């Protein structure tokens, strides 16, 4: 990795790679290094965002569900199935989380009038207010964590990761 000072500094993953480099092909080492870095970065992002949200007494999973509903224009309502897909959770996990948010008055749940077998989850006014209050905290934490990358580097990395995600999940 090249630093802003123009030098190369090793990171934690470089230590791992130096141990396995002789026993794996270069392409395998490269893939492992990238996978290790992605996992470590994702873990650090999640930990820091949770730390920033803690004083606001909201869990990251709560904010992610509220944000999902905020994005559901125009009525801030999604089916439980859509929440499963968007949040990449099981139906049981979504049911549990919706129940917890419903108890707090942040969401409501109703039968879909078009299909009584389907449940619609709606953002309440209190839920929208709560999300609006803390979404900026999450955004500021994300920006601070990624500030060591220039805007051009962030755009380039976003393009590369989009390509990877499409190969794994397909396009929408």
């Amino acid at each position: 990795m090249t630093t802003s000072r123009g030098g190369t500094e090793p990171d934690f993953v470089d230590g791992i790679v130096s141990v396995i480099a002789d026993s794996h092909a270069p392409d395998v080492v490269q893939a492992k290094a990238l996978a290790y870095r992605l996992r470590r970065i994702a873990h650090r992002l999640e930990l820091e965002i949770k730390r920033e949200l803690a004083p606001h007494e909201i869990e990251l999973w709560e904010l992610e569900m509220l944000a999902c509903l905020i994005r559901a224009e125009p009525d801030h309502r999604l089916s439980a199935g859509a929440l499963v897909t968007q949040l990449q959770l099981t139906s049981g996990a979504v049911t549990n989380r919706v129940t917890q948010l419903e108890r707090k008055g942040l969401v409501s749940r109703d039968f879909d009038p078009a299909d009584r077998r389907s449940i619609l989850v709606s953002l309440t006014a209190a839920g929208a207010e709560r999300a609006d209050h803390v979404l900026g905290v999450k955004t500021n934490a994300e920006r601070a964590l990624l500030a060591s990358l220039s805007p051009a580097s962030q755009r380039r990395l976003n393009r590369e990761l989009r390509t990877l995600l499409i190969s794994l999940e397909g396009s929408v």
Side-chain angles (χ1 to χ4, degrees):
M1 170 187 291
T2 302
T3 66
S4 59
R5 288 169 276 163
T8 300
E9 295 179 26
D11 66 4
F12 182 84
V13 174
D14 290 322
I16 294 171
V17 169
S18 70
V19 172
I20 65 168
D22 292 338
S23 59
H24 292 74
D27 61 326
V28 171
V29 173
Q30 190 71 3
K32 284 183 170 293
L34 182 56
Y36 282 132
R37 284 190 176 97
L38 286 170
R39 283 194 305 273
R40 290 181 68 83
I41 290 167
H43 181 70
R44 294 294 300 264
L45 280 166
E46 186 170 334
L47 285 177
E48 184 61 21
I49 291 168
K50 286 179 176 180
R51 188 183 70 73
E52 291 292 325
L53 292 176
H56 301 276
E57 299 179 352
I58 190 165
E59 297 290 331
L60 180 56
W61 69 263
E62 292 174 303
L63 183 56
E64 287 174 344
M65 184 168 289
L66 297 178
C68 213
L69 292 167
I70 282 175
R71 291 187 300 266
E73 294 291 339
D75 53 6
H76 307 296
R77 177 176 25 200
L78 289 171
S79 69
L83 287 169
V84 165
T85 300
Q86 290 187 27
L87 296 169
Q88 296 184 317
L89 297 169
T90 65
S91 60
V94 166
T95 298
N96 180 41
R97 291 175 180 197
V98 167
T99 299
Q100 291 181 57
L101 292 175
E102 192 175 38
R103 286 183 186 138
K104 292 181 176 186
L106 302 176
V107 302
S108 64
R109 150 174 47 189
D110 300 294
F111 288 109
D112 183 343
D115 179 1
R116 302 282 299 164
R117 297 169 295 169
S118 183
I119 299 293
L120 294 175
V121 180
S122 301
L123 191 63
T124 64
E129 183 179 318
R130 185 79 175 114
D132 285 343
H133 177 71
V134 292
L135 276 170
V137 172
K138 180 178 178 280
T139 299
N140 289 338
E142 290 163 342
R143 289 180 69 211
L145 287 163
L146 299 171
S148 65
L149 295 174
S150 70
S153 292
Q154 288 183 35
R155 285 189 297 276
R156 188 171 43 256
L157 186 55
N158 257 317
R159 283 192 306 273
E160 297 294 338
L161 292 175
R162 179 184 302 108
T163 299
L164 179 59
L165 272 177
I166 289 170
S167 77
L168 296 171
E169 299 178 346
S171 90
V172 292

